[in-house]
Structure formats: C-alpha cells, structure tokens
Amino acid sequence: METFTAFLLAVVAGARRFAHTSLLRADVALHGLLGITRFPVDDTIRNLFQRFGQGQCQRFFLRLVELATGAAAGMFFRI
C-alpha cells in the first residue's frame, strides 16, 4: 500500500518519470505526516507496475470509465 501511495504522491507532486519519485524520499515531514517509515525507491514502484499485463490494465481502465460516466464502457470503446 505504501508503494502505491508513494506513486500517487509523486504524480501529484509533478513527477513525470519513476526516477522523479526519489525527490520525495528526502522529505521527512511528508513521511511523518503520512506515517511512512520507509519511502520506496523508484525501482520498487516500477516493479509494482510490471506485475500487470495489458489485459489487466485494459479491464481496469474500462471499469474506471464505467464508474466515472455511469455507462457501460463498451459504448465508448471497442473491446
């Protein structure tokens, strides 16, 4: 859970690459605020996303669109 939280924080902070997440590793105040004892390195975050295949990402995205629009994603995208 901390790995995904670190990824989201990096995106909110403006990270455009996994390597940019290392900038947040030095922010001790942020770690204390979130209760994170060890902030993951960029390789850890990258490894998290390498676990997912294209099919899993596509199903997740389609479901996300359905939730956001209240409609079946098949109406907007070819499956």
Side-chain angles (χ1 to χ4, degrees):
M1 189 64 168
E2 287 183 0
T3 304
F4 189 69
T5 302
F7 167 73
L8 289 178
L9 287 171
V11 171
V12 170
R16 298 179 142 267
R17 299 176 184 269
F18 288 118
H20 296 164
T21 60
S22 63
L23 297 173
L24 297 178
R25 293 193 78 216
D27 193 341
V28 180
L30 178 66
H31 301 176
L33 183 66
L34 298 173
I36 297 175
T37 54
R38 292 178 51 201
F39 201 85
V41 296
D42 54 328
D43 285 337
T44 303
I45 296 170
R46 188 180 307 107
N47 290 339
L48 170 69
F49 287 100
Q50 286 179 344
R51 295 179 185 176
F52 303 106
Q54 183 177 353
Q56 291 170 309
C57 293
Q58 184 178 15
R59 286 189 297 276
F60 174 77
F61 177 74
L62 291 175
R63 181 65 179 134
L64 188 62
V65 169
E66 289 174 357
L67 291 172
T69 63
M75 295 175 56
F76 301 105
F77 302 99
R78 292 187 182 190
I79 301 173

